[in-house]
């Protein structure tokens, strides 16, 4: 029974240690407390390898003793968001004095007089635009003497210490705080009388036959009150006291410390005979020949430590970056890679292989390589706004020496990399993502692989040259230094792991993680992917240059040896505009692997181990592998469509796993200009559409499929940019109807408070996100501008439908934009959706009364009551009509084709491949349905752009 109970104590220690990967329980002692803790502590320590066990005096009341000695505290704080330039030190000191008086009075009410109080002050400070708030203690005398200059200097120093960079301006206060505490309790530790030796016989009060470790044995019983410092108790033994009982196992020994703490350790093993010289040499030879083995606990710790390192990298970036895209929306992706460049933890796949294709300089310890040119890394980054920092990780050399003019380095044990989307890199439009760019050179500064740091030294001239090209150099510098800080942090953590477990053990753990992933993915391919060749296609609506829609298609084939082949032959040629997406083959492998894992087995850890199982063919000169210098700034539409295509391919023969369409694009809005004071402002934000209906439930409303992406808070936008969010709501009925409905799109209603210009990127305005298994397509996106809209209205003035891809749209102060995104496709027959679920959607404003009846056959009154008779009749009529359509299809001999194609509802086409007639019909209805002129099919229209090879 005791053994079973000990095992129940064991698991709670693992999640905070092994599962976070930061701590190995074998590196720590185990402290017992509570009445039962000391009874089980010895057995739990054996399971965990945590030695020694520390049993404090009176463990049953240890928590109560802690409560008795805890300091009483009151905090009083005040939000005070002001730039340093806008406030004087005297005002801050006055506020702090008032907060201090308020906190002291509260503590006095608790019965603690002023003479027993200790008062301190603090402020939360950041650089304007950052997400972090760094707390700093305030020394009143220094503030009185030196003013805010002292506080700014203190913040700069702490920022440099934590993140390796600082600025000399744009400091911002966030909170002011006074903390008052009672003075520490005067509690002294006891000191036991010293024993004359280890023999604890004087404390032994008897013996007892006990069942322990599978057999009966005699255990000595000891009275803890009689134990002295230095006494040793050999197990098996029981030590009793008033509030607890301590058990010492037979192979352990307890020693009493002078503070009264009992320390339990395993008994030392008998000393072995000294080895002879030949035996030592033989042992050394065997150790060199034996392959390093990594036990399960170490592997688990390394794997989860890497996950924690990735989380830490992200946190550093979120806290210190300034641009909203990184700080608030988390448009960044980091990774840790093996020495060969294989990603062992991350999300977007490894950038290392693409980088090394063109980087020819030597790789040195302390280097940080910076790049943003997709053509220099095989598309590992996909447009020039993504600034990528890559850092090699070397162990320290055993000796400092120079050979052949080169400094000898330690062993390369991996790579750390991080890219973030910086808001501006120059170019022809603010935010540097022109819709009408014909070449990448129009987008802004394009950085080939260069050493930003060489052997740890910053190339300040290079940095200044790059920042000189940007409209927001302070933002860019802060974002870039935050990216660098994240990879430096990863380097330090990886070296800690190598020091903790050994380099060979660490590298072996990486190999095991990669091999395990490959085996798991191989089994997934074998059991979950059908043998037959499958095809799927989807479309990017237009390229902003008047051409569209652009087809992306892929054929999937299962090969011998358990591999898959994805062939994008048949995809349209590259666009003369900027919607081209340079799809890196490894990036696609990662997308594919991530999708398969999430759908079929979410317990598999994602890394690069499975890459050799996937062959990827992308024709050169196509939309997905354009030739330089094709523009790439609006590649997000094709990027989003890749996910819809993967969904259609992998779920085509397994409808129970199939999701509808919904990622579709990454809607962007950019707003820039100068305020009344002449100060430049520039806003960049990413919107979200509806998540597709899924086999296990409805799609989320207005959410991103990227797990880490979030909305920019309206309060943040309104504080830092001249804009007011008048409405922010889901668009009813925009999600495709289904047993599991698609998520609704979002309408964000912006009122512009200064004259300026807009750029907009979006898609799915012509084609719709398709439904599956009987689910309906989601609604299209649209953008409507109301010029001269009165302040009391949000739909007044001149109504203008603007394209989903446009630049230099002039807006005046007071104009209102309705930024409406698409809805996700529905999953399953909407007539099978429970009536209660439909009425709940109506109550929540997600579906209108008309939408309930038209989409689901549910008749609801204005009062919210369901007419069950009318509902049953409406659903029966629709089911009968659907059965008649199926019968007609069978009679026409299309049942073979329909068995696959009938899974999808594309809206404008019937089959897996759209016919020219279907596309032309879609274009003929375009202006009537969207208010926008239709694009011209690629190859039929003319364009003013040309592409140089």
């Amino acid at each position: 029974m005791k053994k079973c109970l000990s095992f129940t104590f064991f698991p709670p220690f693992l999640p905070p240690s092994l599962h976070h990967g930061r701590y190995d329980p074998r590196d720590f002692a185990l402290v017992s407390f509570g009445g039962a803790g000391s009874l089980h502590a010895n057995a739990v320590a054996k399971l965990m390898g945590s030695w020694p066990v520390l049993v404090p005096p009176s463990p049953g009341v240890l928590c109560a003793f802690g409560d008795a000695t805890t300091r009483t505290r009151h905090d009083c704080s005040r939000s005070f968001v002001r730039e340093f330039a806008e406030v004087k030190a005297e005002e801050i000191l006055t506020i702090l004095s008032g907060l201090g008086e308020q906190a002291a009075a509260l503590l006095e009410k608790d019965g603690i007089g002023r003479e027993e109080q200790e008062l301190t002050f603090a402020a939360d400070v950041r650089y304007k635009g950052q997400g972090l708030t760094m707390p700093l203690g305030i020394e009143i005398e220094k503030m009185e003497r030196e003013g805010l200059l002292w506080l700014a200097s203190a913040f700069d120093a702490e920022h440099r210490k934590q993140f390796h960079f600082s600025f000399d301006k744009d400091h911002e206060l966030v909170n002011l705080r006074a903390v008052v505490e009672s003075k520490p309790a005067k509690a002294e530790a006891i000191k036991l009388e010293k024993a004359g030796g280890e023999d604890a016989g004087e404390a032994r009060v008897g013996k007892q036959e006990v069942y322990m470790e599978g057999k009966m044995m005699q255990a000595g019983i000891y009275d803890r009150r009689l134990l002295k410092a230095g006494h040793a108790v050999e197990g098996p033994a029981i030590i009793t006291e008033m509030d607890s009982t301590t058990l010492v196992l037979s192979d352990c020994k307890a020693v009493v410390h002078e503070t009264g703490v009992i320390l339990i350790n395993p008994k030392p093993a008998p000393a072995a005979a000294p080895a002879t010289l030949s035996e030592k040499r033989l042992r050394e030879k065997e150790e060199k020949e034996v392959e390093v083995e990594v036990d399960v606990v170490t592997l688990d710790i390394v794997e989860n430590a890497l996950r924690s390192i990735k989380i830490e990298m992200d946190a550093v970036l979120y806290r210190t970056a300034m641009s909203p895209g990184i700080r608030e929306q988390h448009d960044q992706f980091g990774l840790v890679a093996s020495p060969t460049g294989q990603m062992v933890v991350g999300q977007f796949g490894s950038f290392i292989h693409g980088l090394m294709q063109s980087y020819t300089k030597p790789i040195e310890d302390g280097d940080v390589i910076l790049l943003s040119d997709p053509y220099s890394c095989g598309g590992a980054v996909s447009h020039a706004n993504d600034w990528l920092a890559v850092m090699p990780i070397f162990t320290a050399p055993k000796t400092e020496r120079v050979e052949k003019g080169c400094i000898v380095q330690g062993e390369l044990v991996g790579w750390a990399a991080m890219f973030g989307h910086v808001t501006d890199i120059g170019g022809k439009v603010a935010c540097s993502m022109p819709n009408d760019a014909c070449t990448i050179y129009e987008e802004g500064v394009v950085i080939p692989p260069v050493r930003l740091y060489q052997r740890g030294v910053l190339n300040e001239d290079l940095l200044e040259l790059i920042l000189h090209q940007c409209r927001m150099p302070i933002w860019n510098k802060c974002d870039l230094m935050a990216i660098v800080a994240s990879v430096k942090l990863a380097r330090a953590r990886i070296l800690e792991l190598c020091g903790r477990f050994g380099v060979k053990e660490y590298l072996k753990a990486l190999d095991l993680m990669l091999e395990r992933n490959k085996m798991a993915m191989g089994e997934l391919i074998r059991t979950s992917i059908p043998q037959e060749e499958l095809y799927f296609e989807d479309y990017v609506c237009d390229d902003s240059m008047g051409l569209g829609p652009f087809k992306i298609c892929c054929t999937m084939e299962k090969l011998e040896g358990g591999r898959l082949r994805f062939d994008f032959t048949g995809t349209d040629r590259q666009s003369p505009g900027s919607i081209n997406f340079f799809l890196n083959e490894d990036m696609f492998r990662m997308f594919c692997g991530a999708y398969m894992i999430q759908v079929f087995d979410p317990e598999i850890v994602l890394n690069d181990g499975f890459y050799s199982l996937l062959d990827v063919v992308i024709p050169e000169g196509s939309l997905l592998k354009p030739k330089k210098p094709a523009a790439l700034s609006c590649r997000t539409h094709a990027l989003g469509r890749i996910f819809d295509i993967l969904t259609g391919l992998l779920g085509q023969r397994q409808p129970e796993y199939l999701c509808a369409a919904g990622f579709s694009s990454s809607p962007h809005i950019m707003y820039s200009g100068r305020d009344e004071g002449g100060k430049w402002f520039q806003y960049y934000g990413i919107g979200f559409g509806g998540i597709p209906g899924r086999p296990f439930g409805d799609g989320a409303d207005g959410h991103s499929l990227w797990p880490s992406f979030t909305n920019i808070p309206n309060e943040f936008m309104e504080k830092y940019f001249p804009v007011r969010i008048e409405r922010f709501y889901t668009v009813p009925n925009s999600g495709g109807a289904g047993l599991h409905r698609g998520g609704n799109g979002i309408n964000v209603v912006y009122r512009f408070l200064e004259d300026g210009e807009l750029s907009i990127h979006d898609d799915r305005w012509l084609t719709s996100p398709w439904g599956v298994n009987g689910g309906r397509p989601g609604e299209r996106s649209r953008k409507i501008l109301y010029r001269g809209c009165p302040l009391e209205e949000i739909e007044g003035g001149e109504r203008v439908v603007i394209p989903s891809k446009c630049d230099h749209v002039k807006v005046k102060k007071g104009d209102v934009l309705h930024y409406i995104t698409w809805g996700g496709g529905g999953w399953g027959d909407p007539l099978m959706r429970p009536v209660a679920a439909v009425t709940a959607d109506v109550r929540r404003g997600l579906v209108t009364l008309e939408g309930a009846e038209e989409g689901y056959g549910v008749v609801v009154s204005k009062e919210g009551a369901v007419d069950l008779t009318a509902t049953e009749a409406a659903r029966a009529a629709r089911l009968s009509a659907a059965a008649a359509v199926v019968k007609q299809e069978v009679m026409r001999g299309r049942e073979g084709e329909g068995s696959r194609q009938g899974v999808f509802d594309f809206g404008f086409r019937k089959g897996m491949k759209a016919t020219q007639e279907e596309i032309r019909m879609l274009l003929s209805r375009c202006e009537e349905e969207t208010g926008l002129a239709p694009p011209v099919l690629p190859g039929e229209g003319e364009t003013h752009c040309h592409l140089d090879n």
Side-chain angles (χ1 to χ4, degrees), residues 6 27 35 73 92 101 153 178 227 262 264 309 320 384 418 669 706 712 783-784 810 888 949:
S6 296
D27 294 337
R73 167 176 170 154
I92 294 172
E101 178 60 32
S153 298
L227 289 172
I262 296 173
I264 304 175
I309 290 169
T320 53
M418 174 71 77
I669 178 171
W706 293 117
I712 294 180
K783 311 292 176 283
I784 304 171
K810 303 290 185 182
Q888 284 182 339
N949 290 325

Side-chain angles (χ1 to χ4, degrees), residues 663-683:
F663 184 85
S664 296
S665 184
S666 243
H668 292 57
I669 178 171
M670 285 75 80
Y671 168 46
S672 60
R674 295 193 180 275
D675 62 21
E676 292 180 351
K679 188 175 181 180
W680 178 257
F681 64 86
Q682 183 171 315
Y683 170 72

Side-chain angles (χ1 to χ4, degrees), residues 593-659:
Y595 181 89
M596 290 176 65
I597 286 172
Q598 289 300 315
V599 170
F600 299 122
D601 190 352
E603 294 302 313
I604 297 176
V605 176
L606 182 66
N607 61 43
D608 283 6
F610 67 91
Y611 278 13
S612 61
L613 301 176
L614 305 182
D615 296 344
V616 182
V617 178
I618 306 175
E620 188 174 1
S622 70
L623 194 71
L624 301 181
K625 187 172 279 190
K627 295 179 181 179
K628 187 176 181 179
L632 305 171
S633 54
C634 300
R635 92 283 184 236
T636 53
H637 317 303
L639 169 60
R641 206 66 79 253
I642 291 296
F643 287 93
D644 287 342
I645 285 174
L646 271 174
T647 298
L649 278 174
L650 295 171
Q652 197 173 126
R653 276 294 186 242
Q654 300 176 89
E656 68 276 14
Y657 290 117
L658 178 63
C659 293

Side-chain angles (χ1 to χ4, degrees), residues 39-200:
L39 185 64
H40 298 279
N42 196 169
V44 172
K46 284 187 69 174
L47 291 169
M48 297 174 61
S50 301
W51 302 105
V53 176
L54 306 179
V55 185
S58 303
V61 294
L62 183 64
C63 293
F65 181 74
D67 288 340
T69 57
T70 298
R71 301 174 71 180
T72 306
R73 167 176 170 154
H74 273 296
D75 291 30
C76 288
S77 61
R78 172 179 166 181
S79 295
F80 192 78
V81 185
R82 301 272 289 278
E83 293 183 53
F84 278 25
E86 300 173 347
V87 67
K88 295 185 180 298
E90 291 77 13
E91 182 181 356
I92 294 172
L93 291 169
T94 300
I95 294 171
L96 289 173
S97 176
L99 292 172
E101 178 60 32
Q102 183 182 351
L106 289 170
L107 203 61
E108 199 169 22
K109 286 183 179 180
D110 291 337
I112 300 170
R114 300 288 177 110
E115 69 282 357
E116 293 297 321
Q117 298 179 5
E118 292 182 353
L119 180 61
T120 57
F121 299 98
D124 294 335
V125 185
R126 65 187 176 194
Y127 294 119
K128 182 181 178 182
Q130 280 188 324
L132 72 83
T133 54
M134 189 179 291
L136 293 174
I138 292 181
E139 299 179 36
I140 297 298
E141 291 183 0
K142 288 189 176 181
M143 276 284 286
E144 291 174 337
R145 187 171 62 250
E146 302 176 35
L148 286 169
L149 181 62
W150 169 79
L151 188 59
S153 298
F155 176 76
D156 292 343
E158 186 61 27
H159 201 278
R160 282 193 300 273
K161 178 181 176 182
Q162 292 194 32
F163 307 114
H164 311 288
F165 72 97
S166 63
F167 297 108
D168 58 1
K169 60 181 179 180
D170 292 333
H171 297 84
E172 186 176 57
L173 286 161
V174 181
N175 299 301
L176 299 174
R177 185 166 49 257
V179 179
V180 62
E181 294 180 288
S182 59
K183 291 183 177 179
K186 297 177 181 179
E188 296 183 3
I190 62 172
K191 195 168 184 178
L192 295 183
E193 177 186 348
K194 288 187 178 180
E198 285 194 350
D199 185 9

Side-chain angles (χ1 to χ4, degrees), residues 449-507:
V450 291
R451 283 183 288 204
L452 181 65
Y453 285 78
Q454 184 173 4
R455 296 194 65 81
V457 179
L458 174 64
N459 187 335
E460 295 188 13
D461 290 342
L462 173 63
L463 177 60
E464 188 173 338
L465 176 65
I466 293 170
L467 296 177
H468 191 70
Q469 317 303 314
C470 308
R471 294 178 179 85
M472 306 288 287
I474 295 296
W475 278 18
N476 286 62
K477 182 178 180 180
C478 193
D479 291 349
L480 179 56
M481 291 298 100
I483 290 169
V484 170
S486 73
V487 297
K488 286 184 175 181
L489 170 77
R491 174 183 179 273
R493 294 288 185 264
I494 296 301
L495 292 179
E496 287 172 8
L497 280 176
C498 290
R500 187 166 155 194
F501 298 108
V503 172
K504 290 183 179 179
E505 288 77 6
Y506 170 74
L507 296 178

